[in-house]
Structure formats: C-alpha cells, structure tokens
Amino acid sequence: MTPSLISRIHQFVGQEVQLQGWAFNFRSSGKIFFLQLRDGSARVQIVYSKADVSEETWSALESLRLESSVRVFGRVKEDARAPSGFELDGLGLEIISIAADEYPIGKKDHGPDFLLDNRHLWLRSEKQWAVQRVRDTIIMATYNYFHENDFVKFDTPILTPTSCEGTTELFEMDYFDMGKGEPEAVNVGTGKAYLSQSGQLYLEAGIMSLGRAFDFGPVFRAEKSKTRRHLTEFWMMDAEAAFVEHVENMQIQEGLICRIVHDVLANCQHELKVLERDTKPLEAVQAPFVHMTHQEAIAKLRELGSDIGDMDDLGADDETILTQQFDRPIFIEKYPAAVKAFYMKRDPLNPEFVLNNDMLAPEGYGEIIGGSQREDDYETLLQRMHEHNLAIEPFQWYLDLRKYGSVPHSGFGYGLERITAWMCGLQHIRETIPFPRLINRLTP
Ligand code: 4AD
Ligand code: MG
C-alpha cells in the first residue's frame, strides 16, 4: 500500500494507502469504530466495520488508548461531511506504541499553568499545532521578503561582551577567566559574558560588507516584566541597510508586514479557522499604514483622557488605546532621545528627538517592531556613549564602523512571538513559542 501523509490523501481517492500517526480520538458502536488520526500534516477519520476487518485489527482497535501511535491501512474516499472532504474505509491497524492510560490533556478545560506544565504534550493539541504552523509561515515570509529585496542572512553572535538595548535587562554569565586581572582586556577584566538582546550592533558591521543584511535568532531579556507581551527568551529578526534613511526604513518595514499578513492569509486559512481567528482585521492590513509622531501620539492620548507627559515613553496601555483607533498598523515616529537607545540618530530639525519608529499592530496588540536610523558620525556617537555612561573600550569596534567609510544607515527588529500572537489572535505570547521562558517559568 502506498505510504502517504494525511495532507496528500486527495491524490489517492479510491486507492489503498498506509498512514502513520497518533490516535487523538475514537469511539465505537460495537460494530463500527471511528478512529481520528493526526500525523502532523493534517487530521482524518478512519471508519472500520467489524464485519470487514480481521480479528487482529478489531482487537487492536479495541485496545487503543488516546495518543497511541499507529499504522493505518485503508481506502481513501471523498466525503462531503468530513472537514477535509476525505475519509478512509479502514482495512487494517497496527499499533506502533500503545500510550499509557489517562492522557493528561483531556477534553475538559485546563488552566494555563497545567497546560504550561504539560507543554511537551499540549503542543499536540490542534490549536497549538495551528499556532506553530502560522509561526513557520511568518518565518518563511520573512526570509522570502528579504531575499527578494537584496538582503543577505547574516548570523550574529549570542554570547556578547556588551549590552545592545540597556544594561538592566542583561543575562550575565561567567566566561572562563577571560580578561580576569587584565584591565585592558575586551570585557574589562570581569570574566563575564552576556546573552544577546539583539544582533543589531553586529549587523551594522555586516552591512558595511553586504549592504543589506538580516539576522534571525533567539535573544534574551532579563526584564522583570510579567505581562502578556514579554518573554525572557524570544526570537528576533533584525534587519539593517546601508544608505537607507528614516523614511525608507519605514517603507521596508511596511512591505515586510504586508508580505507576512498576505502569506498568512494565503497559506493558513485552515489554521486560522482552527484558531477561530476573525480574518477581516487581517485583510484590512494594507499599505499605507498610519503615521504619527510621538508628539502627535501624546496629543491623541490626552484627547482620549490620558495624563501622559510630553516626553514620556508610551506604555503598553497607551499603545493599546492608540491601536484601537485604526484598522491598520501605526508607525509612531521620533520619540524623545531620553527614552531611547544611545545609537539612534537625532532628528536634525529637532535634536531632542530621534529618527526612530515603533510599529504598533492593530486590535490592541501594540509594539511589534522597533527601528531607527543610526548615528553615523564618530564624534557624536562617542558623545552619546559618554552620556549613557557606557564603557568605550568594549564598543571600540562599533565606533570603528564610523571611522572607516561611515554611511547613513538604518534598521529595525521585530519580535516573532508578538507578530505570531497578532496573526493568531492570541491573548498571551506564551503560546506562540514552543517552550516559553518567563520570569517564573523555565520548564519543561
Ligand atoms: O524594540 P526593541 O528592544 O529593539 C531592538 O532590540 C533593536 N536593537 C532592534 C533593531 O533596531 N534591530 O525590540 C524589537 C522587538 C520589539 O518591537 C518587540 O516586538 C520584541 O522585539 N520584543 C519582545 N518580544 C517578546 N518579549 C520581550 N521581552 C520583548 N522585548 C522586545
Ligand atoms: Mg522597542
């Protein structure tokens, strides 16, 4: 019999096939046995009739327990009532491994802690399956968009001697005795390394070779934030481009997000249905996105009753309120320099502000992208580093980029889990990553 994935059985209508997967549900009338099988590619029902199968097959069916792994033999037929349009007439069944009794995840509602404790099993549930497939589509859309727009994948390091986004969020670790007792050494004599918060600074070195580059990998933030938007380990995509300034930087971001939404809608209709995601708000995500400056955002928030100060950063609640005013993403541009990172270039028209943007996703999802034009002048950048009390020595290589053929350049980074949560319509980003790391969770 032809081995097949469930997702491909439409090619074998009327033929006998062999499937391999897990029994996620079953029921029996004593004469007819309905087996629900999933193999990762899709789900399908196999209907066995006691009169038509061998005694071995029937007793194997009767011995089944939830989540046992099995090999199924059957004939494919079209069935308009089946969710996929297909069903199998069961001919045989082999048990590969019988599951232990009482699969922990039942049909009743479990609390989030129970599900997270059983994350290794919860991942098999249909919604979790759908989330991972949407996540995969976002990753693919990102790679395709960048490769079609002349960006090269550039892998930045995870072990670093310095911070990128601010020292309060750094995970610190011992790094042999590197630099110990050597005050001149790169990491100034501490024997410490830090887990990367973003590959951006290294990507800036990469584009001086490749012109346009992006990275994609895990980053780490020791933030004590216990919110539905924060993980301590998450996946970031950073992009960077030489000769690109603030406005073009936002055009690249807009193109990327449109591409992601398009590909998710084109390839994940079934997954979105499983997730009960209303696709109308996603269909509304079209260029041009909304633009407003930080100052305009503050004015709008005050209009809506907030008492936020002129030079305050936007909090999660402020972002939520703003995104509820529009049906598409919002670029918030030109934040006060005081609330942003040292590397952002000042706005020449108003140097208290920087040439940056956050992108806020609609429906209350809030910040999904942070980006900016970078300071490209050696002396100015040095000055900023002093203002931020950064040790100069570990950043000398970064300053060097401004010494040898500096060019205007810009970039941005997105949080994969935040975009996945938005696409899937999830309330909390912990479900978007296979094994979430939170301030109070490191297992399984
Ligand atoms: O805004 P952030 O901190 O920007 C940077 O790290 C820049 N160096 C990126 C760049 O310009 N190349 O982080 C970028 C994005 C945020 O917009 C958000 O989507 C996500 O990363 N993010 C988080 N996602 C989950 N958990 C956290 N703790 C996150 N912190 C940031
Ligand atoms: Mg940010």
Side-chain angles (χ1 to χ4, degrees), residues 278-339:
D278 178 6
T279 53
K280 288 243 168 50
L282 296 180
E283 282 150 21
V285 177
Q286 303 281 346
F289 294 175
V290 179
H291 286 260
M292 62 171 82
T293 62
H294 174 271
Q295 284 180 299
E296 288 163 348
I298 298 291
K300 178 113 208 149
L301 284 166
R302 292 230 190 93
E303 227 176 85
L304 296 165
S306 161
D307 59 357
I308 189 165
D310 279 343
M311 301 303 260
D312 289 351
D313 202 356
L314 303 185
D317 293 342
D318 303 314
E319 290 178 5
T320 301
I321 294 168
L322 285 172
T323 67
Q324 284 162 349
Q325 311 300 310
F326 304 96
D327 67 350
R328 51 194 78 195
I330 314 171
F331 287 102
I332 314 262
E333 301 176 42
K334 301 187 179 176
Y335 280 63
V339 302

Side-chain angles (χ1 to χ4, degrees), residues 26 49 60-62 103 150 193 270 284-285 290 308 313 318 334:
F26 51 79
S49 156
L61 286 167
E62 288 197 311
Y103 184 63
D150 307 299
H270 175 67
V285 177
V290 179
I308 189 165
D313 202 356
D318 303 314
K334 301 187 179 176

Side-chain angles (χ1 to χ4, degrees), residues 37-325:
L37 187 77
R38 56 172 190 86
D39 71 352
S41 76
R43 300 181 161 217
V44 73
Q45 174 166 273
I46 302 110
V47 184
Y48 292 90
S49 156
K50 190 172 182 181
D52 296 343
V53 297
S54 69
E55 248 170 64
E56 289 81 44
T57 291
W58 193 259
S59 66
L61 286 167
E62 288 197 311
S63 74
L64 270 181
R65 295 191 194 122
L66 281 189
E67 289 299 317
S68 299
S69 49
V70 295
R71 198 165 289 126
V72 158
F73 306 91
R75 183 176 289 108
V76 182
K77 62 172 194 193
E78 280 184 83
D79 185 329
R81 290 162 307 172
S84 68
F86 300 92
E87 211 177 68
L88 262 69
D89 283 329
L91 302 171
L93 179 91
E94 275 171 33
I95 292 177
I96 299 170
S97 173
I98 193 83
D101 215 0
E102 298 264 349
Y103 184 63
I105 300 185
K107 282 199 206 80
K108 64 170 189 220
D109 276 346
H110 297 289
D113 279 327
F114 177 86
L115 289 170
L116 286 167
D117 286 343
N118 287 284
R119 182 63 173 164
H120 52 298
L121 302 175
W122 185 28
L123 285 168
R124 304 177 184 197
S125 302
E126 193 173 25
K127 282 192 176 168
Q128 300 307 312
W129 169 89
V131 170
Q132 290 310 313
R133 291 177 54 104
V134 171
R135 180 182 166 111
D136 175 65
T137 300
I138 297 168
I139 295 169
M140 282 297 290
T142 301
Y143 274 81
N144 288 334
Y145 175 80
F146 281 124
H147 284 142
E148 286 160 20
N149 286 281
D150 307 299
F151 284 74
V152 175
K153 175 87 188 319
F154 182 80
D155 298 323
T156 52
I158 287 172
L159 293 175
T160 64
T162 52
S163 114
C164 175
E165 289 301 307
T167 48
T168 53
E169 306 175 349
L170 278 176
F171 278 110
E172 183 185 287
M173 54 188 278
D174 290 334
Y175 197 75
F176 307 108
D177 50 3
M178 170 82 76
K180 268 188 190 150
E182 296 170 48
E184 300 305 314
V186 166
N187 52 355
V188 284
T190 57
K192 297 290 180 200
Y194 306 93
L195 295 179
S196 176
Q197 301 162 310
S198 156
Q200 179 202 320
L201 304 186
Y202 293 96
L203 214 52
E204 288 184 56
I207 59 155
M208 304 301 166
S209 165
L210 297 160
R212 295 172 161 218
F214 70 106
D215 68 15
F216 209 143
V219 296
F220 305 86
R221 304 256 170 125
E223 286 174 285
K224 296 231 162 63
S225 318
K226 223 177 155 180
T227 80
R228 60 193 181 85
R229 295 176 183 176
H230 288 90
L231 297 165
T232 54
E233 174 180 310
F234 64 98
W235 280 63
M236 193 188 289
M237 186 291 304
D238 296 283
E240 198 74 25
F243 308 106
V244 163
E245 304 202 35
H246 174 58
V247 171
E248 194 184 350
N249 190 33
M250 291 188 290
Q251 289 163 355
I252 296 169
Q253 295 168 47
E254 186 178 77
L256 171 63
I257 295 303
C258 286
R259 173 61 178 272
I260 289 172
V261 173
H262 170 274
D263 284 13
V264 167
L265 285 171
N267 303 323
C268 301
Q269 282 299 324
H270 175 67
E271 289 81 355
L272 295 172
K273 206 161 147 198
V274 167
L275 292 162
E276 298 168 69
R277 173 64 159 120
D278 178 6
T279 53
K280 288 243 168 50
L282 296 180
E283 282 150 21
V285 177
Q286 303 281 346
F289 294 175
V290 179
H291 286 260
M292 62 171 82
T293 62
H294 174 271
Q295 284 180 299
E296 288 163 348
I298 298 291
K300 178 113 208 149
L301 284 166
R302 292 230 190 93
E303 227 176 85
L304 296 165
S306 161
D307 59 357
I308 189 165
D310 279 343
M311 301 303 260
D312 289 351
D313 202 356
L314 303 185
D317 293 342
D318 303 314
E319 290 178 5
T320 301
I321 294 168
L322 285 172
T323 67
Q324 284 162 349
Q325 311 300 310

